[in-house]
Amino acid sequence: QVTLLESGGDSVQAGGSLRLSCKVTYSMYFIRYSMAWFRQAPGKEREAVAAISIDGGSSSYADSVKGRFTISQDHDKDMLYLQMNSLKPEDSAMYYCAINARRRSVPAPLGLGDYSLWGQGTQVTVSS
């Protein structure tokens, strides 16, 4: 049993910052190859935001967030983070964290199909 619990979503004004967190809990050890943040706005498909390999050797970002968002992890706490700066109204969405437990890929993949374990999401709303 693996559970991903996101937190940190909020309503902010454009230009503001938020830090999302994702806590991973599990009953039995399992191998993870990478973790990622995705987002989905109403009426739109779920899209990748950022991904990071478990060894920290690589991270990947969607073009729309490069230079503004930073993905990081804390293995001791089993946490994944997303620091979001210079937020824009188009960043408004439900944000999900996800785990790739299928295969190792370098750089950390941004494909929806690469991730099989998902959280319930945390809402981010950015007003202009």
Side-chain angles (χ1 to χ4, degrees), residues 9-18 20 38-42 44 47-49 62-69 82-96 122-128:
D10 205 346
S11 296
V12 297
Q13 290 198 326
S17 297
L18 282 175
L20 304 184
F38 286 75
R39 66 186 182 188
Q40 187 168 18
K44 294 189 177 181
E47 63 176 4
V49 175
D63 288 342
S64 59
V65 306
K66 280 180 183 175
R68 299 188 298 123
F69 291 10
L82 184 69
Q83 178 66 43
M84 305 187 297
N85 299 327
S86 303
L87 282 162
K88 304 175 181 180
E90 51 263 43
D91 294 319
S92 297
M94 186 73 79
Y95 282 71
Y96 301 90
T122 185
Q123 180 67 41
V124 172
T125 303
V126 184
S127 58
S128 57

Side-chain angles (χ1 to χ4, degrees), residues 54-66:
I54 290 303
D55 63 6
S58 76
S59 57
S60 306
Y61 294 90
D63 288 342
S64 59
V65 306
K66 280 180 183 175

Side-chain angles (χ1 to χ4, degrees), residues 20 22 24 31-38 48-62 69-75 78-83 96-101 103-111 114-115:
L20 304 184
C22 174
V24 182
I31 296 176
R32 306 168 224 180
Y33 296 100
S34 57
M35 294 189 68
W37 288 97
F38 286 75
V49 175
I52 186 167
S53 60
I54 290 303
D55 63 6
S58 76
S59 57
S60 306
Y61 294 90
F69 291 10
T70 303
I71 189 170
S72 62
Q73 59 192 340
D74 184 331
H75 292 305
D78 268 320
M79 296 290 293
L80 179 72
Y81 303 102
L82 184 69
Q83 178 66 43
Y96 301 90
C97 69
I99 293 176
N100 164 24
R103 62 185 179 89
R104 185 173 183 269
S105 179
V106 179
L110 291 172
D114 290 300
Y115 296 86

